[in-house]
Each structure stands twice: as C-alpha cells, then as structure tokens.
Amino acid sequence: AGTKDPQPFGGFYGTGRYWRFTATRTVTGVQPWLVGLTFYGVAGKPKGQTITIPGAGITSAGTPDPQHGASSILDGNPGTYWSPAGLGLNYNNWWLILDFQKVYTLSAIQIINFGDTTHDMTGFKLEVSSDKATWKPVFYTASVRAGTKQPQMFGGFSGTGRYWRFTVTRTASGQTPRL
C-alpha cells in the first residue's frame, strides 16, 4: 500500500490458458488502482522430470542406521526404507536434508509410504535453502494416506534451491516413520 514499487508474489504453481486476477481488498475499501501486472512462467504444460539425487547428499534426524539409513529413500528398491533411530514416540519432526548438488525448481513430490498404519506418515512439510541454515517453507500437507504402498503425488507449489528439507510432521500412530 502506498507505493508504486514492484511487489513480487511467488510460491504458487498453475497451468492454464485463462487466468483471473482478483483484488480482494484495498487499504481504504474503495476500488483498486492497479498500475501494472506481470506474470512469469513458461509456455505450455511443464514436463516434470525425475531428479536424481546422489545418496551421499542426504542426511537425516536421528541416529544413522546402516540398515535403514536415509539413502534408502533414493535407492529405488521397494524392499528398503528409511527409519530414523533414537527418536521418541510422537517426535513429529523427523527430517531429511537433501543436497541436490545444484539448484532445481521443484513443483511436485511423490512419496511412497511403508504401507502400514503404524509407521506411515500422514503429514509432511517441504522447505528449501541456499545455505542449509535459513529455510523457506514451500509446501505442507496433513493429507498423506497411511496403510498403502501406492505412490502419492503432491504438487501445486514451486520452490527453487539446492538444499531441500523434507520433514515428517506426523505418523498414523506417533511411531517413527518408515519411508
């Protein structure tokens, strides 16, 4: 309010031919006087591609467990899983930090739960950082289905960075997650 300087808004994602911009409120309650509106993006539908992350570029909460370590989420083997050790019941802050080795813009994430209602996550958050010290929220959900090994896709966000922190915020029973 009270400025003609550009005011960028980001962190959203959408695909469509027609877009509607609606001013929902002004400071004084009268009609808005909009000086400019600029959109940034790419033409056409984005083509998502799977990003390969080196196993050495991942760290996690808890005690490292060689049998169920963090790199298990990247090995493509459905018989292995990550299970952080040494953290109590209802810890609800089980995190993984992934170093992508270079900057990527992400717009979706696919997760595969262990497949039981004891260790499956039901909520997670995704954050991004350029320095592994300052984290910016990108996405949060409490709508992960437990009791299935079927892949679950979550999108509708956009974030750019080299370091990504994935935090399990809740499991179905409060037990340590298996992912």
Side-chain angles (χ1 to χ4, degrees):
T3 181
K4 288 188 179 182
D5 293 333
Q7 298 177 42
F9 300 94
F12 64 89
Y13 174 81
T15 302
R17 179 176 176 186
Y18 301 101
W19 290 78
R20 176 173 36 193
F21 174 84
T22 305
T24 57
R25 192 168 97 182
T26 65
V27 173
T28 61
V30 298
Q31 79 275 3
W33 290 8
L34 191 61
V35 175
L37 184 62
T38 307
F39 289 91
Y40 299 90
V42 294
K45 291 184 178 181
K47 295 177 182 161
Q49 72 182 63
T50 302
I51 299 168
T52 303
I53 307 161
I58 185 168
T59 56
S60 75
T63 306
D65 179 348
Q67 213 171 10
H68 305 293
S71 62
S72 295
I73 67 163
L74 304 175
D75 66 9
N77 180 347
T80 63
Y81 56 87
W82 165 64
S83 182
L87 302 171
L89 185 66
N90 295 312
Y91 182 69
N92 296 337
N93 193 30
W94 301 283
W95 53 263
L96 294 159
I97 295 177
L98 301 108
D99 179 356
F100 283 41
Q101 306 294 311
K102 62 182 181 177
V103 174
Y104 281 94
T105 298
L106 301 185
S107 58
I109 185 171
Q110 177 180 286
I111 64 102
I112 301 173
N113 263 328
F114 183 70
D116 70 17
T117 55
T118 303
H119 299 96
D120 282 1
M121 75 168 136
T122 57
F124 72 88
K125 65 182 176 180
L126 187 63
E127 300 164 289
V128 68
S129 175
S130 59
D131 60 7
K132 283 179 41 174
T134 306
W135 295 95
K136 177 183 174 188
V138 175
F139 182 75
Y140 168 82
T141 186
S143 300
V144 182
R145 287 188 330 268
T148 180
K149 287 188 175 187
Q150 293 299 312
Q152 298 177 60
M153 183 72 79
F154 298 89
F157 62 84
S158 180
T160 302
R162 174 179 170 175
Y163 303 101
W164 291 83
R165 182 165 60 189
F166 177 90
T167 304
V168 176
T169 56
R170 187 173 172 194
T171 62
S173 69
Q175 294 287 337
T176 302
R178 291 184 181 170
L179 181 62

